[in-house]
């Protein structure tokens, strides 16, 4: 078995999601090669070479890969992919953008969002917003799959000593162009990697109140901040903070849901959290089905009281 893992990075550092994908690759078993497609990304390749369990790193360094344009990276993956039994990427926006295109170019169907490896070609994946788990088998000669990071404990970032080899760029596919990006700068931890997440729902009432009530709690706990879709749709916070089926999937050690009812689409994004605390004035709210600790009360008084005691 030879497995190609597509590295996720920003040309400077390897994103932690790649460590979870390598963990899934280890469960499949075989030689693990990490592909770093970037521009000025030697440091990323060097980091990838140190990841435990990685036997080789391929570095494609070209301006065409500077912004991870999916059309360009997919062309590269397809050009080298036929030499591998498996091609894996994280189930992130970037992975989900690149891998289907690469699979199509390789004429292979793909499996998305695997959460367990049963064998080299049999995997488990959630369906119906995580309410059922499907076991799927691939008959393809190349298994192309995205991996849900929260389902696999990351391998160690250090300890490996893989060789780094350069691979030829396949250049600009010429069908897309990077124009600009707006990145929200935050001092807080990244939502999907945070140990603690404080999320607010429609119950917080407004964007202003979201910050008045939840920022002090997140500050005290060093937590990332999330939200329900209702809070995002109401404009309380930006949509990159949405947790759930159509938002981000998180599994922190502690998830605090404030003024969130617990719709299945929200639970799909957080129910694997190790400890779940819910603060809600409605003792019948469905989130109590998954909550380990359940605080019934008005968030506007309960949360400041909690903050004062931490
Ligand atoms: C296809 C599809 C995809 C979706 N994807 C997502 C997704 O990714 N993520 C997501 O979150 N949702 C998603 N949804 C929406 C989901 O169905 C719910 O509508 C949404 O999660 C509700 O958000 P909420 O819990 O904040 O709001 P509500 O359901 O309105 O709940 C608000 C809660 O706040 C409590 N509350 C109100 N005031 C207070 C107070 N003063 N103190 C304490 N508690 C208070 C209420 O008791 C209530 O339980 C999706 C829906 C669809 C159809």
């Amino acid at each position: 078995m030879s497995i190609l893992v597509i590295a996720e990075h920003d040309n400077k550092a390897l994103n932690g999601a790649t460590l979870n994908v390598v963990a899934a690759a280890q469960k499949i078993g075989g030689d693990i090669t990490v592909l770093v497609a970037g521009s000025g990304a030697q440091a990323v390749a060097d980091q990838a070479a140190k990841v435990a369990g990685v036997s080789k790193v391929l570095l494609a360094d070209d301006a065409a890969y500077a912004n991870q344009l999916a059309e360009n990276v997919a062309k590269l993956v397809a050009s080298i992919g036929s030499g591998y039994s498996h091609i894996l990427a994280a189930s992130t926006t970037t992975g989900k953008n690149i891998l289907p295109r690469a699979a199509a170019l390789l004429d292979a169907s793909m499996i998305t969002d695997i959460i367990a490896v049963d064998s080299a070609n049999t995997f488990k994946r959630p369906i119906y917003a995580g309410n059922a788990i499907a076991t799927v088998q691939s008959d393809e000669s190349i298994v192309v799959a995205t991996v849900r990071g929260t389902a696999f404990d990351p391998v160690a970032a250090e300890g490996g000593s893989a060789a780094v080899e350069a691979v030829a760029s396949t250049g600009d596919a010429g069908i897309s162009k990077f124009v600009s990006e707006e990145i929200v700068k935050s001092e807080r931890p990244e939502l999907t990697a945070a140990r603690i997440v404080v999320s607010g729902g429609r119950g917080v009432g407004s964007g202003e109140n979201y910050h008045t009530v939840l920022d002090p709690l997140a500050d005290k706990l060093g937590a990332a901040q999330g939200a329900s879709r209702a809070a995002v749709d109401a404009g309380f916070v930006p949509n990159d903070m949405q947790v759930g089926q159509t938002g981000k999937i998180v599994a922190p050690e502690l998830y605090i849901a404030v003024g969130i009812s617990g719709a299945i689409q929200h639970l799909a994004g957080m129910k694997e959290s190790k400890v779940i605390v819910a603060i809600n004035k409605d003792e019948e709210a469905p989130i109590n089905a998954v909550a380990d600790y359940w605080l019934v009360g008005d968030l506007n008084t309960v949360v400041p009281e909690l903050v004062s005691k931490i």
Side-chain angles (χ1 to χ4, degrees), residues 200-204 227-231 242-247 259-263 265-266 279-282 285 297-300:
R202 194 182 343 240
V204 300
S228 70
R229 177 156 155 183
Q242 184 180 318
V243 171
Q245 183 187 342
T246 44
I260 293 178
S261 62
Q265 296 90 353
H266 188 79
I279 299 172
N280 199 301
K281 67 177 182 186
D282 174 11
D298 185 334
L299 63 92
N300 295 300

